[in-house]
Amino acid sequence: MSALLAVTALPPAALAQNAPPSVTAAKPIVREVIDNDEFIGRFQAVDEVSVRSRVGGYLQEIHFKDGSIVKQGDLLFVIDQRPFRTALNEAEAALEVARSTLTFADAQFKRADALVKSGSQAIQTLDDRRRELASAEANVRGAEASVERARLDLEYTGITAPISGRVDRRLLSTGSLVQADQTVLTTIVSLDPIDFYFDVDERRLLSYADTARASGTQLQEGGSGLPVKVTIGDFQHSAFEGKLDFAENRVDDQTGTMRIRARLANPDYVLQPGLFGRIQIGGSLPYRAILVPDEAIGSDQNERVVYVVAEDGTVSTKPVRTGPRIYGYRVIRDGMEGNETIVVNGLMRIRPGIKVAAETVQLPAERAETVPETISAEQMQ
């Protein structure tokens, strides 16, 4: 009786110390997944053009605002057109003279032909008239070509956008002398779609090539449009989706890598040429995976472990080999069956062999990524 009274007389704090620690436990997520490989790369415009003039002259007009979006065919610059209009008028006048000469030569040839047939003129005269007619015809063709060239030069004084995209600042002011085919007036880069280039090491390159061949194509031909996701430094934007569409035709013998390209839609022009990004690619065929939260994985010297709760509440550890992070969880490569109940919250309060008061919860199928994480080499092994 006295012992019972002693126990009941213990203060609440002492009773709480003897109570099993409270933890949160859950079953791991088991689902079909595809491993994601991650690389750093840079965005690059699909098309980039340095705008030059095809004719020389003095810059007279500028028809765009620096940094604006232009459409293919929009007028950007105008070279002083007066010298080219004069040249066109001269060419057209020379054409009229050539046509007049041709008319006269044709009449002379027909007259000589009639006289030769009547026997009133020598055959040599007919040959001379035929030669003069052929020469006049050639002069007309040359004059027509000169008119066409002068008309083209006049047309080239209006410099239009060769592609659609964002134009850079103007590099010359009105009144500046422009050298034909040399002076750069501005540049234009296309924005939608946009390309993303990154380098892949030999091991994963061979894996992607195998996946492409399994789909009936080659990696250099786009890898069967393998889907990718690209994130940028502004984490307010969700990942941008695209597809692989090209790989170089050889491995760089200096770096042992191959450059690969993905193409992404960019209708809002968020992505800009030159930006860095982080690309994720499916690096495996679909397989059954066991997924657990990162906070459920502890360390025991050099091992990664999870804490398993038995039916009677006893905690034990299981060594595991971890993989990449997918759907907000860590892939368990080895060490679990998938039906265990593991501690997901409260690891600091437990140790192997003790009993716990576990509150069992159900993990969501997918969790949002709050902080981008780089997978270490140890976790990938």
Side-chain angles (χ1 to χ4, degrees):
M1 177 67 70
S2 60
L4 178 60
L5 291 175
V7 172
T8 57
L10 288 175
L15 291 174
Q17 290 178 355
N18 293 330
S22 298
V23 297
T24 304
K27 297 284 187 181
I29 300 294
V30 180
R31 62 181 296 181
E32 190 176 78
V33 301
I34 297 176
D35 284 348
N36 285 330
D37 292 333
E38 195 170 79
F39 303 95
I40 301 296
R42 189 189 291 270
F43 289 99
Q44 185 171 320
V46 175
D47 296 309
E48 181 175 353
V49 177
S50 296
V51 179
R52 292 178 170 87
S53 175
R54 298 188 182 188
V55 295
Y58 288 93
L59 187 61
Q60 189 174 47
E61 300 174 13
I62 299 175
H63 289 267
F64 68 93
K65 182 180 179 182
D66 291 353
S68 61
I69 296 294
V70 296
K71 300 295 184 182
Q72 183 178 9
D74 286 353
L75 182 63
L76 303 179
F77 301 94
V78 176
I79 303 293
D80 186 3
Q81 296 180 339
R82 290 173 296 178
F84 299 95
R85 287 200 181 97
T86 301
L88 177 58
N89 291 336
E90 291 176 349
E92 289 176 341
L95 176 60
E96 290 300 321
V97 171
R99 285 173 174 168
S100 175
T101 303
L102 174 61
T103 301
F104 178 75
D106 183 59
Q108 289 289 85
F109 172 76
K110 291 178 179 177
R111 185 179 298 112
D113 184 52
L115 292 174
V116 168
K117 289 179 180 178
S118 65
S120 302
Q121 198 166 53
I123 191 68
Q124 182 178 356
T125 303
L126 179 62
D127 292 339
D128 291 340
R129 299 296 178 264
R130 183 181 289 110
R131 176 182 55 78
E132 292 170 358
L133 177 61
S135 178
E137 290 174 343
N139 289 337
V140 168
R141 290 196 297 270
E144 289 174 343
S146 297
V147 169
E148 183 63 24
R149 175 178 295 178
R151 188 174 289 116
L152 277 176
D153 287 344
L154 179 59
E155 181 181 337
Y156 290 154
T157 58
I159 303 166
T160 58
I163 62 172
S164 299
R166 189 176 298 280
V167 67
D168 197 5
R169 64 184 177 89
R170 55 184 180 180
L171 301 179
L172 292 179
S173 299
T174 55
S176 300
L177 178 62
V178 177
Q179 299 291 336
D181 300 322
Q182 295 183 16
T183 307
V184 178
L185 302 175
T186 188
T187 59
I188 303 174
V189 294
S190 64
L191 294 177
D192 183 27
I194 193 168
D195 288 337
F196 184 83
Y197 286 89
F198 58 100
D199 295 328
V200 174
D201 58 84
E202 292 183 11
R203 179 178 63 85
R204 283 180 282 193
L205 170 65
L206 295 174
S207 174
Y208 299 152
D210 289 341
T211 303
R213 281 192 292 270
S215 302
T217 185
Q218 297 294 322
L219 184 63
Q220 284 77 8
E221 299 172 4
S224 191
L226 189 66
V228 300
K229 291 184 177 180
V230 181
T231 56
I232 57 177
D234 185 357
F235 301 117
Q236 294 180 354
H237 287 96
S238 58
F240 297 86
E241 297 183 355
K243 293 182 179 181
L244 294 186
D245 78 330
F246 168 76
E248 291 184 344
N249 58 3
R250 64 186 181 278
V251 175
D252 190 312
D253 56 2
Q254 299 295 324
T255 63
T257 61
M258 178 182 285
R259 182 149 295 180
I260 298 179
R261 182 180 74 197
R263 183 158 291 181
L264 301 88
N266 187 31
D268 298 326
Y269 306 146
V270 175
L271 305 175
Q272 298 292 318
L275 280 178
F276 281 101
R278 189 187 301 266
I279 189 169
Q280 291 185 344
I281 310 174
S284 71
L285 296 174
Y287 68 96
R288 177 183 176 274
I290 300 171
L291 310 177
V292 302
D294 271 332
E295 57 268 25
I297 302 174
S299 299
D300 184 7
Q301 295 183 355
N302 294 329
E303 290 184 323
R304 301 275 183 166
V305 297
V306 294
Y307 291 86
V308 180
V309 182
E311 291 184 359
D312 61 356
T314 304
V315 174
S316 61
T317 60
K318 270 193 173 185
V320 294
R321 184 167 63 92
T322 58
R325 188 176 173 87
I326 302 176
Y327 300 120
Y329 295 101
R330 181 71 60 191
V331 173
I332 300 299
R333 296 288 197 197
D334 191 20
M336 293 183 63
E337 298 294 332
N339 55 0
E340 301 90 341
T341 300
I342 62 172
V343 177
V344 296
N345 192 8
L347 268 65
M348 300 298 294
R349 298 192 293 270
I350 62 176
R351 65 181 184 276
I354 69 170
K355 290 189 176 182
V356 296
E359 177 188 359
T360 303
V361 297
Q362 184 174 358
L363 297 175
E366 184 173 345
R367 301 196 308 176
E369 295 280 4
T370 56
V371 179
E373 183 176 341
T374 301
I375 308 304
S376 67
E378 294 180 355
Q379 291 173 323
M380 293 298 294
Q381 293 175 353

